[in-house]
Amino acid sequence: MEKKWRTAISWHFDHEAYVRGYKLADLIGTLSFTEAIFLVLKGELPSEREKRVLDSIFVSLVEHSIAPPSVIAARAVASGGNSLHVGVGAGILAFGEAHGGALEGAMRFLQENAEKDPETVVNEFFKEGKRIPGYGHRYYKKYDPRSLKIMEIAEREGFYGKYCEFAGKVEKIIEKIKGKKLVLNVDGAIAAVVSEMGFDWRLGKGFFIIGRTAGLVAHVYEELTMEKPFSKRLDEEKEVEYLGLSPRELPERFRKRD
Amino acid sequence: MEKKWRTAISWHFDHEAYVRGYKLADLIGTLSFTEAIFLVLKGELPSEREKRVLDSIFVSLVEHSIAPPSVIAARAVASGGNSLHVGVGAGILAFGEAHGGALEGAMRFLQENAEKDPETVVNEFFKEGKRIPGYGHRYYKKYDPRSLKIMEIAEREGFYGKYCEFAGKVEKIIEKIKGKKLVLNVDGAIAAVVSEMGFDWRLGKGFFIIGRTAGLVAHVYEELTMEKPFSKRLDEEKEVEYLGLSPRELPERFRKRD
Amino acid sequence: MEKKWRTAISWHFDHEAYVRGYKLADLIGTLSFTEAIFLVLKGELPSEREKRVLDSIFVSLVEHSIAPPSVIAARAVASGGNSLHVGVGAGILAFGEAHGGALEGAMRFLQENAEKDPETVVNEFFKEGKRIPGYGHRYYKKYDPRSLKIMEIAEREGFYGKYCEFAGKVEKIIEKIKGKKLVLNVDGAIAAVVSEMGFDWRLGKGFFIIGRTAGLVAHVYEELTMEKPFSKRLDEEKEVEYLGLSPRELPERFRKRD
Amino acid sequence: MEKKWRTAISWHFDHEAYVRGYKLADLIGTLSFTEAIFLVLKGELPSEREKRVLDSIFVSLVEHSIAPPSVIAARAVASGGNSLHVGVGAGILAFGEAHGGALEGAMRFLQENAEKDPETVVNEFFKEGKRIPGYGHRYYKKYDPRSLKIMEIAEREGFYGKYCEFAGKVEKIIEKIKGKKLVLNVDGAIAAVVSEMGFDWRLGKGFFIIGRTAGLVAHVYEELTMEKPFSKRLDEEKEVEYLGLSPRELPERFRKRD
């Protein structure tokens, strides 16, 4: 009978933990954390070049201010009187379509289209009124400095291939069609580079999650050690707009009940 | 061999679902939701009186404004681009020690102490500098109208017994000792009444969760249908105080690396 | 400036909580839990008929055995050494597309198609290879007894309208086209009836969440009081199939590092 | 007015993200992931030695088979038809007192007692019937090879100080008192070393979370790409023991209602 629980990731042989065939105890002190992550995700050990590229990607994602919904959720949950891991778990739940989703979307876009003619692809997207994930930024209008860095590293390490090229062409075509530049943003750049490294777009959100977890841990720790419980409570007068009904009387048939 | 998964709640007999021994299909159209909840939690069907008391308790918990951390978390997670259930799940995670925990705490306090002399109990708590859960309110200084309602209903339905009595005595003793009143709040009143009904304090948070879930569903639905994705993002300038370091240069040894 | 936090659900007037315009304290002892839920979700109080229909729906969802992924997740999380609400929150997270999603899907199907010709609609779905949500059951091949009950109640209470009719026609057309019956299942029946009551399909998962939360509370309580911490651990030998690599040696370049 | 949201972790200066005072863009390609994590958590950049020690710790935690409750929860939630991040979030929720809690507990134990006489400390714990977190293992009875590795690295890198020493002494004293060895396990060893590095025990669970997230990502990705939705469903006959009531009739008063 086929078993319900199946995995190729890790196993115990003689009560010793093995990860992707390597004894875990042998990896301690031998691999860097990034190399171990690569092994877990990809099934094989990375080259020095792959490690350096992946390091640059995780660093670019490690923390991005208190502002995003994930940190709001994480700190609000912590302020309800919870342990560290519950706050962090809630923060990760916020990584939906609109929060980290661009990375997955951009990977999918590149992996499904990089063999096609970029101009045709862009035109089709725009004809259907769809946005191309990985392009555009609130403040960066000429270039996203993080994307430049990541692309530069990818090139230096030999990972500037068809996906990076395609991503660059699309940026130019968008500008030609729209008459204004939508810069290849950091999600788009990461998407191109991890695609070069052979990662499936369905794993895209995973890079975001792994990269950002440290930031969430730091925020929840700060909340738990620096703030009072229940501090994350809205001030209705100052922070909330009420769009509902004014006070009203209960209908007769309910008042009679009591 | 003992099985890892064991339950006394429900089972399929001949592919038909049974809950606590009753065929689920027979309960549809026969029980009210509150009666079914009582059955699931307690293992037996409630009397009419038990049902009315439990209805009053769930109604008192059903929704309590957009302000608490649970709603902040639920709507923040939803705004990250998630489905309804993910937002609601995140909201429930906020129900920690400081958010709904008073109900569990008050149940425990009553169930562990109701046989003792209330004056001795209160004095001991205060000597150890501990707060008694279920007493005190930000705005209600004379009485909590919700507690009065619940106690009145409990009395009318024959559930005003040793726990309610003890809870009332403790309120008076606190006033005597402190010189100011800490009203029996709604958590304290609910705690007394569900204790009368024979519910274990370890289930205390469950009443809060069941009661408040509808409110969370309504808030997440509102977020998803009324607001734009990512709307729950803090404005650093206006809403956040930065307590950290000013911009600084990377130490030499890191700059050399690149 | 438009505020980030806005709601029409509830508000404090003079430090008193109001829900949809009614003073919360006035609802305690006056409304049943189901009536209060209807008020929170819909903005208005239900009629007696609406209440009875909604009660039957929530009862049909209240608990459905230990088997589904939501209970596995809830009890596994609890067994990690967590409080009640964390286990319940994790359980609700499992209510994805494949778990409760049929209710939302069926509501959407009915609300988007009930005005059209059912035969054309079904044919189009099948031509595109899409399943129609709300039809088919593992064991019920002639009829789903829960659907019959709910439809019967809906009819008795005056809520058998265009959605119920359309749902019934679709069942017959599927049988005609496929040559075998796919019964209108309980998700499909609930979907039809809550559509009659004017609820938006985007709220569909909400009925499932509200209904099933009590069951999750009971399961997590059982786990916490009846089982040892960490009892939910897989036995690799008996329960897991390993699809991965056999033990292998670390490549030379890594062994040298140490 | 004091603001509700405060942080010292990161900030935007001129629309550029800064982490602990360093421009994020400057860290990309300059720091390894582990160095960036250290910076986020500690506020300062690590030395080469600190980086190597921290790498060994994260590697030791990166993945530990499909068996634990966190993976069960993560894969069950994913099988409900959810996105990658929802499964990972649910997995992290499982990291309660009994799952990763030993690391936090051991850090606390060491940080609160390392200045005291170890024999007195151990005796006190045993007198109160308390277990000392960080000692004992199901299979390792002589030594935990992972602990040896981590301690060896700590020593080589100059982080074998008072906490490591104290941890070693406690292991010997336990053996003397109990007459059998409870090995310093991997949680205990990590606890000692991160204490040497000046990390607060309240952050303890954070190391576990950061280290293990990659494993959870891999498991959820495997579930989503390799298994069918809803595959994580218990087989009642084979996997579950029913402890509840046999089918019974509804009491008269309920049957009359319908």
Side-chain angles (χ1 to χ4, degrees):
Chain A
M1 192 202 70
E2 207 172 65
K3 280 177 177 166
K4 182 161 54 210
W5 301 93
R6 308 185 302 166
T7 186
I9 302 168
S10 61
W11 195 246
H12 283 89
F13 294 98
D14 278 332
H15 303 316
E16 285 283 342
Y18 282 72
V19 175
R20 302 291 188 184
Y22 298 117
K23 193 189 281 194
L24 180 57
D26 289 349
L27 307 180
I28 302 172
T30 313
L31 303 191
S32 75
F33 186 28
T34 298
E35 288 172 320
I37 294 170
F38 188 101
L39 174 66
V40 168
L41 298 181
K42 200 88 190 303
E44 293 300 333
L45 288 160
S47 67
E48 278 293 309
R49 289 166 174 278
E50 286 171 317
K51 177 185 74 170
R52 284 194 295 263
V53 173
L54 200 52
D55 263 322
S56 73
I57 285 167
F58 284 139
V59 171
S60 76
L61 293 165
V62 75
E63 158 66 7
H64 213 258
S65 94
I66 196 177
S70 51
V71 182
I72 297 179
R75 296 186 77 138
V77 163
S79 89
N82 280 292
S83 302
L84 190 70
H85 69 290
V86 185
V88 175
I92 285 172
L93 294 178
F95 294 156
E97 195 52 34
H99 191 0
L103 174 49
E104 187 183 307
M107 281 176 80
R108 182 175 192 173
F109 168 74
L110 294 170
Q111 292 178 20
E112 289 180 348
N113 294 296
E115 312 281 338
K116 303 180 196 163
D117 170 56
E119 189 137 9
T120 315
V121 170
V122 175
N123 272 316
E124 238 163 70
F125 262 73
F126 286 170
K127 213 167 56 194
E128 294 174 35
K130 291 195 292 186
R131 292 187 52 193
I132 300 177
Y135 294 88
H137 192 273
R138 275 215 289 185
Y139 297 115
Y140 302 132
K141 296 302 172 194
K142 292 197 170 158
Y143 59 88
D144 182 332
R146 301 162 301 170
S147 303
L148 290 199
K149 265 279 176 75
I150 286 166
M151 283 304 198
E152 194 188 297
I153 293 159
E155 199 162 0
R156 191 182 67 206
E157 304 294 351
F159 284 98
Y160 192 95
K162 68 173 176 179
Y163 296 111
C164 293
E165 227 170 281
F166 187 82
K169 281 183 193 159
V170 166
E171 194 189 32
K172 289 203 188 82
I173 291 163
I174 293 176
E175 190 177 5
K176 206 179 79 181
I177 298 177
K178 289 239 177 205
K180 70 170 183 174
K181 195 163 188 177
L182 291 182
V183 301
L184 179 72
N185 58 35
V186 72
D187 295 311
I190 294 174
V193 176
V194 294
S195 295
E196 301 291 355
M197 294 167 87
F199 286 105
D200 178 13
W201 66 263
R202 289 162 199 83
L203 192 61
K205 192 72 71 61
F207 295 95
F208 194 84
I209 297 169
I210 295 170
R212 187 61 57 81
T213 295
L216 289 174
V217 167
H219 277 288
V220 175
Y221 175 73
E222 216 180 39
E223 182 71 28
L224 293 175
T225 54
M226 202 168 82
E227 310 289 3
K228 284 190 198 138
F230 224 74
S231 77
K232 297 303 170 283
R233 183 188 167 85
L234 296 175
D235 182 323
E236 284 187 26
E237 301 249 331
K238 289 182 194 142
E239 293 181 277
V240 186
E241 190 184 343
Y242 180 56
L243 306 170
L245 295 172
S246 298
R248 53 177 171 168
E249 289 295 313
L250 265 182
E252 189 78 3
R253 67 185 170 102
F254 289 97
R255 272 179 292 151
K256 272 193 200 139
R257 282 187 186 180
D258 203 13
Chain B
M1 192 202 70
E2 207 173 65
K3 282 180 176 164
K4 181 161 54 210
W5 302 93
R6 307 185 302 165
T7 187
I9 301 168
S10 60
W11 195 247
H12 284 90
F13 294 97
D14 278 331
H15 303 315
E16 286 282 342
Y18 282 72
V19 175
R20 302 291 190 185
Y22 299 117
K23 192 189 282 194
L24 180 58
D26 289 348
L27 306 180
I28 302 170
T30 313
L31 302 191
S32 75
F33 186 29
T34 298
E35 288 172 320
I37 295 170
F38 188 100
L39 175 67
V40 168
L41 298 181
K42 201 88 190 304
E44 293 300 333
L45 288 160
S47 67
E48 279 292 310
R49 289 166 174 278
E50 285 170 317
K51 177 184 75 170
R52 284 195 294 262
V53 173
L54 200 53
D55 263 322
S56 74
I57 285 167
F58 284 140
V59 170
S60 76
L61 293 165
V62 76
E63 158 65 7
H64 212 257
S65 94
I66 196 176
S70 51
V71 182
I72 297 179
R75 296 185 76 139
V77 164
S79 88
N82 280 292
S83 302
L84 189 71
H85 68 289
V86 184
V88 175
I92 285 173
L93 294 178
F95 294 156
E97 195 53 34
H99 192 359
L103 174 49
E104 187 181 308
M107 280 176 80
R108 183 176 192 172
F109 169 74
L110 294 171
Q111 292 178 20
E112 289 180 348
N113 294 296
E115 313 280 338
K116 303 180 195 163
D117 171 54
E119 189 137 10
T120 316
V121 170
V122 174
N123 272 314
E124 239 164 71
F125 261 72
F126 286 168
K127 213 167 56 193
E128 294 174 35
K130 291 194 292 188
R131 291 188 53 192
I132 300 178
Y135 293 88
H137 192 273
R138 275 216 290 185
Y139 297 116
Y140 302 132
K141 296 302 172 192
K142 292 195 171 159
Y143 60 89
D144 182 331
R146 300 161 303 171
S147 304
L148 291 198
K149 265 279 175 74
I150 286 167
M151 283 304 197
E152 194 188 297
I153 293 160
E155 200 162 0
R156 193 182 65 206
E157 304 294 351
F159 284 98
Y160 192 95
K162 68 173 176 180
Y163 296 110
C164 293
E165 226 170 280
F166 187 82
K169 280 184 193 160
V170 166
E171 193 189 34
K172 289 204 187 82
I173 291 162
I174 293 175
E175 190 176 5
K176 208 179 79 182
I177 297 177
K178 289 241 177 203
K180 71 168 183 175
K181 194 163 189 177
L182 291 182
V183 302
L184 179 72
N185 58 35
V186 71
D187 295 312
I190 294 174
V193 176
V194 293
S195 296
E196 300 291 354
M197 294 168 87
F199 286 104
D200 178 12
W201 66 263
R202 288 161 201 84
L203 191 61
K205 192 71 71 60
F207 294 95
F208 194 84
I209 296 169
I210 295 170
R212 188 61 57 83
T213 295
L216 289 173
V217 166
H219 277 287
V220 175
Y221 175 73
E222 216 179 39
E223 182 71 28
L224 293 176
T225 52
M226 202 168 82
E227 309 289 4
K228 284 190 198 139
F230 224 75
S231 78
K232 297 302 170 285
R233 182 188 169 87
L234 295 175
D235 181 324
E236 284 187 28
E237 301 250 331
K238 289 182 194 143
E239 294 182 277
V240 186
E241 190 184 342
Y242 180 55
L243 306 170
L245 294 173
S246 298
R248 53 177 171 168
E249 288 296 312
L250 264 183
E252 189 78 4
R253 68 183 169 101
F254 288 97
R255 271 179 292 152
K256 271 193 201 139
R257 283 188 186 180
D258 204 13
Chain C
M1 191 202 70
E2 208 173 63
K3 280 178 178 165
K4 182 161 52 208
W5 301 93
R6 307 185 302 166
T7 187
I9 302 167
S10 60
W11 195 247
H12 284 89
F13 294 99
D14 278 332
H15 303 315
E16 285 283 342
Y18 282 72
V19 175
R20 302 290 189 185
Y22 299 116
K23 193 190 281 195
L24 179 57
D26 289 349
L27 307 180
I28 303 170
T30 313
L31 302 191
S32 75
F33 186 28
T34 297
E35 289 171 319
I37 294 170
F38 188 101
L39 175 66
V40 167
L41 298 181
K42 201 88 190 303
E44 293 300 332
L45 288 161
S47 67
E48 277 294 310
R49 288 166 175 279
E50 286 170 318
K51 177 185 76 170
R52 285 195 294 263
V53 173
L54 200 53
D55 264 321
S56 74
I57 286 168
F58 284 140
V59 170
S60 76
L61 294 164
V62 75
E63 159 64 7
H64 212 258
S65 95
I66 196 177
S70 51
V71 181
I72 297 178
R75 296 187 78 139
V77 164
S79 89
N82 279 292
S83 301
L84 189 71
H85 68 290
V86 184
V88 175
I92 285 173
L93 293 178
F95 295 156
E97 196 51 32
H99 192 359
L103 174 49
E104 187 182 308
M107 281 176 80
R108 183 176 192 172
F109 169 74
L110 294 172
Q111 293 178 20
E112 289 180 349
N113 294 298
E115 312 281 338
K116 303 180 195 162
D117 171 55
E119 189 136 10
T120 316
V121 170
V122 174
N123 272 314
E124 238 163 71
F125 261 72
F126 285 169
K127 212 166 57 192
E128 295 173 35
K130 290 194 293 185
R131 291 188 52 193
I132 301 178
Y135 293 88
H137 192 273
R138 276 215 287 185
Y139 296 115
Y140 302 133
K141 296 302 172 194
K142 293 197 170 158
Y143 59 89
D144 183 331
R146 301 161 303 169
S147 303
L148 290 198
K149 265 279 176 75
I150 285 166
M151 283 304 198
E152 193 188 297
I153 293 159
E155 198 162 3
R156 192 182 66 207
E157 304 294 350
F159 283 98
Y160 192 94
K162 68 173 176 180
Y163 296 112
C164 293
E165 227 169 280
F166 187 83
K169 281 183 194 162
V170 166
E171 194 190 34
K172 289 203 188 83
I173 292 163
I174 293 175
E175 190 176 4
K176 206 179 78 179
I177 298 177
K178 290 240 177 204
K180 71 168 182 175
K181 193 164 189 175
L182 292 182
V183 302
L184 178 71
N185 58 35
V186 71
D187 295 312
I190 294 174
V193 176
V194 294
S195 295
E196 301 290 355
M197 294 168 88
F199 286 104
D200 178 13
W201 66 263
R202 289 163 200 83
L203 192 60
K205 193 71 72 63
F207 294 95
F208 194 83
I209 297 169
I210 294 170
R212 188 61 58 82
T213 295
L216 289 173
V217 166
H219 277 288
V220 176
Y221 175 73
E222 216 179 39
E223 181 72 28
L224 293 176
T225 53
M226 203 167 82
E227 309 290 2
K228 284 192 199 138
F230 223 75
S231 78
K232 297 303 170 281
R233 184 188 168 86
L234 296 175
D235 181 322
E236 285 187 27
E237 302 249 331
K238 289 182 194 143
E239 293 181 279
V240 187
E241 190 183 344
Y242 180 56
L243 307 170
L245 295 172
S246 298
R248 52 177 172 168
E249 288 297 312
L250 263 182
E252 189 78 3
R253 66 183 170 102
F254 289 96
R255 271 178 293 150
K256 270 191 203 144
R257 282 189 187 178
D258 203 13
Chain D
M1 193 202 68
E2 208 172 65
K3 279 178 178 166
K4 182 161 53 209
W5 300 93
R6 307 186 302 166
T7 187
I9 301 168
S10 61
W11 194 246
H12 284 89
F13 293 98
D14 279 331
H15 303 315
E16 285 284 341
Y18 281 71
V19 174
R20 302 290 190 184
Y22 299 117
K23 193 189 280 196
L24 179 57
D26 288 350
L27 307 180
I28 302 171
T30 313
L31 302 191
S32 76
F33 186 27
T34 298
E35 289 172 319
I37 295 170
F38 189 101
L39 174 66
V40 167
L41 298 182
K42 202 86 190 304
E44 293 300 333
L45 287 160
S47 67
E48 278 292 310
R49 288 166 176 279
E50 285 170 318
K51 177 185 76 170
R52 285 194 294 261
V53 173
L54 201 54
D55 263 323
S56 74
I57 286 168
F58 284 139
V59 170
S60 75
L61 293 165
V62 76
E63 159 63 7
H64 213 258
S65 95
I66 196 176
S70 51
V71 182
I72 298 178
R75 295 186 78 139
V77 163
S79 88
N82 280 292
S83 302
L84 189 71
H85 69 290
V86 184
V88 175
I92 286 173
L93 293 178
F95 294 157
E97 195 52 33
H99 191 0
L103 175 48
E104 187 183 308
M107 281 176 80
R108 182 176 192 172
F109 169 74
L110 295 171
Q111 292 178 20
E112 289 179 348
N113 294 297
E115 312 281 336
K116 303 180 195 163
D117 171 56
E119 188 136 11
T120 316
V121 169
V122 174
N123 272 314
E124 239 164 70
F125 261 73
F126 286 169
K127 213 166 56 192
E128 295 173 34
K130 290 195 292 187
R131 292 187 51 193
I132 301 178
Y135 294 88
H137 192 274
R138 276 214 290 183
Y139 297 115
Y140 302 133
K141 296 301 173 195
K142 292 196 170 159
Y143 60 89
D144 182 332
R146 302 161 301 169
S147 303
L148 290 198
K149 266 279 176 75
I150 286 166
M151 283 305 197
E152 194 188 297
I153 293 160
E155 200 162 0
R156 191 181 66 207
E157 304 294 351
F159 284 98
Y160 193 95
K162 68 173 176 181
Y163 296 111
C164 293
E165 228 170 279
F166 186 83
K169 282 183 193 161
V170 167
E171 194 189 33
K172 290 203 187 83
I173 292 163
I174 293 175
E175 189 176 5
K176 207 179 80 181
I177 298 178
K178 289 240 176 203
K180 70 168 183 175
K181 194 163 189 177
L182 291 182
V183 302
L184 179 71
N185 59 35
V186 72
D187 295 311
I190 294 173
V193 177
V194 294
S195 296
E196 301 291 355
M197 295 167 88
F199 287 105
D200 178 13
W201 66 263
R202 290 162 199 83
L203 192 62
K205 193 71 73 60
F207 294 95
F208 194 85
I209 296 169
I210 295 170
R212 187 61 56 83
T213 295
L216 289 173
V217 166
H219 277 288
V220 176
Y221 175 73
E222 216 179 41
E223 181 71 29
L224 293 176
T225 53
M226 202 168 82
E227 309 290 3
K228 284 190 198 140
F230 224 75
S231 77
K232 297 303 170 282
R233 183 187 168 86
L234 296 175
D235 182 323
E236 284 187 27
E237 301 249 330
K238 289 181 194 143
E239 294 181 277
V240 186
E241 190 183 344
Y242 180 56
L243 307 169
L245 295 172
S246 298
R248 52 177 171 167
E249 289 295 312
L250 265 183
E252 188 79 4
R253 67 182 169 101
F254 288 97
R255 271 179 292 151
K256 271 193 202 138
R257 281 190 187 178
D258 204 12

